[in-house]
């Protein structure tokens, strides 16, 4: 029998990728529930016609045939839903940020320890980007030597008319470092092999949207670990002329070369997505990495079946969110 999953909370469009990729991995989407009628519902119905809406979340949580719960609710509500799902015997894949306070994170850790369930965060800028898959393969092959630094840039388009009220509420989305920068923290830890890091710089600001005091439209973090260094910049400044939502990039510096990913667009003129630049002692080339695959989802399905940690170590998910939350606190204390 295939893995069966349901969704709780459709407040962010990331649910499309979460559900679609689990279906592609062979899982069966059997139901969903959300509070009210968030804007993501229109696109959801088009992508997943025929998947029934439950009368309430208890209908799904009490179904013993459901193995996995996907959560893309308002960020402040994700921790409570995840805990309820794990207490009901389900494993969880949650949209980033997985939680919005350190207190929520501690409650999630306690629930995982108590129930033995999986709490996985879909860091989509790694898990849903084929060029990151190819970069990981090259790093594992030793193509750039030992990784000593990552530089992660996460620009986003504001798309103000489409944003719900909670998007502009600091307590609802958790702050820009907790939210967007969790992607880049994940990639820093993953590519350097670090299991912890010192936050040496953290700042946030609102420079372009003074009428929305709850919005942080700029943030940056610097990280230091024995395994390597990291710099992160995130923002909501993507200009309208760019053909997609953001020119997301990752540079991985090694002792024998470097890799640059232009994940979603190449403003240098190449069509498509997932452009990878590799430079080392024998190679200087552009690689189309769009067919490299997305192994996270099949690995998570296997982890649910086998009770393993091949998709992402549980400690890694906890550490990414811990660092994001602590960086957020540091930045706001200095603001």
């Amino acid at each position: 029998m295939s893995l069966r999953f349901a969704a709780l909370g459709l407040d962010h469009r990331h649910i499309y990728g979460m559900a679609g990729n689990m279906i592609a991995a062979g899982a069966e989407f059997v139901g969903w529930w959300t509070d009210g009628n968030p804007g993501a519902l229109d696109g959801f119905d088009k992508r997943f016609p025929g998947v029934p809406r439950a009368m309430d979340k208890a209908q799904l949580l009490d179904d013993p045939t459901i193995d996995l719960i996907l959560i893309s609710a308002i960020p402040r509500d994700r921790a409570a839903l995840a805990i309820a799902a794990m207490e009901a015997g389900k494993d969880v894949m949650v949209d980033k940020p997985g939680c919005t306070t350190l207190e929520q994170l501690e409650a999630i850790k306690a629930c995982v320890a108590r129930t033995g369930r999986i709490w996985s965060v879909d860091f989509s800028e790694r898990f849903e980007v084929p060029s990151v898959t190819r970069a990981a393969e090259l790093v594992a092959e030793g193509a750039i030597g030992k990784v000593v630094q990552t530089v992660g840039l996460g620009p986003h388009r504001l798309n103000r008319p489409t944003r719900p009220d909670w998007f502009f509420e600091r307590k609802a989305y958790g702050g820009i470092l907790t939210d967007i920068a969790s992607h880049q923290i994940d990639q820093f830890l993953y590519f350097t092999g670090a299991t912890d890091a010192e936050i040496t710089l953290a700042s946030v600001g609102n420079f372009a949207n003074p009428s929305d005091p709850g919005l942080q439209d700029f943030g940056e973090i610097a990280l230091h670990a024995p395994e390597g260094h990291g710099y992160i910049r995130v923002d909501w400044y993507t200009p309208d002329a760019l053909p997609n939502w953001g020119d997301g990039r990752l540079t991985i510096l090694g002792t024998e070369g470097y890799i640059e990913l232009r994940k979603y667009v190449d403003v240098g003129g190449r069509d498509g997505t997932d452009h990878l630049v590799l430079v080392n002692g024998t190679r200087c080339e552009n690689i189309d990495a769009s067919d490299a695959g997305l192994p996270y989802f099949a690995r998570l399905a296997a982890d649910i079946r086998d009770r393993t940690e091949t998709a992402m170590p549980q400690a890694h998910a906890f550490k990414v969110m811990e660092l994001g939350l602590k960086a957020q606190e540091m930045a706001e204390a200095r603001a």
Side-chain angles (χ1 to χ4, degrees):
M1 176 180 283
S2 67
L3 180 146
R4 290 163 56 88
F5 73 93
L8 297 181
L10 308 183
D11 294 275
H12 198 294
R13 287 172 174 80
H14 284 164
I15 192 63
Y16 305 158
M18 296 165 68
N21 282 303
M22 286 308 304
I23 292 171
E28 181 184 1
F29 194 0
V30 299
W32 59 274
W33 170 86
T34 197
D35 189 14
N37 293 284
L41 271 183
D42 288 342
F44 181 86
D45 287 337
K46 293 175 183 176
R47 288 168 174 80
F48 309 105
V51 180
R53 182 173 187 169
M55 295 293 293
D56 55 45
K57 58 180 177 287
Q59 180 181 337
L60 300 173
L61 294 175
D62 293 342
D63 185 341
T65 71
I66 293 173
D67 307 289
L68 173 68
I69 296 292
L70 310 187
I71 298 172
S72 192
I74 297 172
R76 69 182 170 210
D77 299 330
R78 293 174 186 173
L81 288 171
I83 289 169
M86 290 187 285
E87 294 283 9
K90 319 299 186 188
D91 293 312
V92 170
M93 180 210 294
V94 62
D95 185 14
K96 67 81 214 163
C99 54
T100 55
T101 69
L102 286 167
E103 291 76 16
Q104 288 181 353
L105 180 59
E106 289 306 310
I108 290 166
K109 288 181 178 180
C111 186
V112 168
R114 183 170 62 251
T115 64
R117 308 318 302 179
I118 295 169
W119 182 76
S120 192
V121 182
D122 178 13
F123 296 113
S124 56
E125 292 191 28
R126 175 159 68 103
F127 295 141
E128 298 187 30
V129 177
S131 59
V132 182
T133 302
R134 185 67 184 116
E137 294 167 350
L138 289 166
V139 169
E141 293 165 7
I144 60 171
K146 180 185 183 299
V147 173
V148 297
Q149 189 200 38
T150 64
V151 176
L153 307 181
H156 285 61
R157 178 173 283 127
L158 186 59
N159 285 332
R160 180 180 292 276
T162 70
R163 299 296 181 179
D165 291 344
W166 63 260
F167 176 86
F168 300 96
E169 299 174 11
R170 159 62 183 84
K171 289 185 178 180
Y173 70 88
I176 194 169
L177 301 182
T178 297
D179 182 19
I180 301 179
S182 63
H183 287 302
Q184 285 72 32
I185 297 170
D186 162 67
Q187 291 163 81
F188 162 78
L189 293 176
Y190 177 73
F191 280 106
T192 63
T195 57
D196 201 355
E198 177 190 2
I199 303 163
T200 59
L201 165 69
S203 65
V204 296
N206 182 339
F207 302 115
N209 298 275
S211 62
D212 298 298
L215 177 66
Q216 296 167 354
D217 58 23
F218 173 86
E220 61 182 344
I221 304 173
L223 298 167
H224 169 74
E227 296 84 358
H229 301 253
Y231 176 75
I232 294 163
R233 192 207 76 213
V234 292
D235 65 74
W236 288 103
Y237 299 147
T238 293
D240 289 342
L242 195 78
N244 73 342
W245 57 265
D247 185 7
R249 300 193 189 191
L250 174 67
T251 299
I252 308 165
L253 177 65
T255 54
E256 299 174 22
Y258 65 89
I259 293 169
E260 181 188 347
L261 305 182
R262 298 187 178 190
K263 298 180 179 181
Y264 312 110
V265 63
D266 178 17
V267 295
R270 290 177 294 168
D271 292 334
T273 63
D274 294 287
H275 306 283
L276 186 152
V277 176
L278 170 64
V279 182
N280 62 18
T282 60
R283 302 169 68 182
C284 180
E285 58 188 278
N286 296 314
I287 298 171
D288 177 359
S290 58
D291 62 351
L294 304 174
Y296 165 78
F297 300 93
R299 289 173 180 170
L300 181 61
D303 289 341
I304 291 169
R305 181 188 67 235
D306 302 332
R307 310 319 295 170
T308 50
E309 296 188 5
T310 64
M312 175 172 54
Q314 186 64 80
H316 176 93
F318 291 153
K319 183 57 64 174
V320 172
M321 290 316 310
E322 176 191 329
L323 289 171
L325 290 162
K326 288 183 175 179
Q328 188 72 47
E329 285 190 349
M330 178 185 294
E332 292 178 351
R334 295 175 174 176

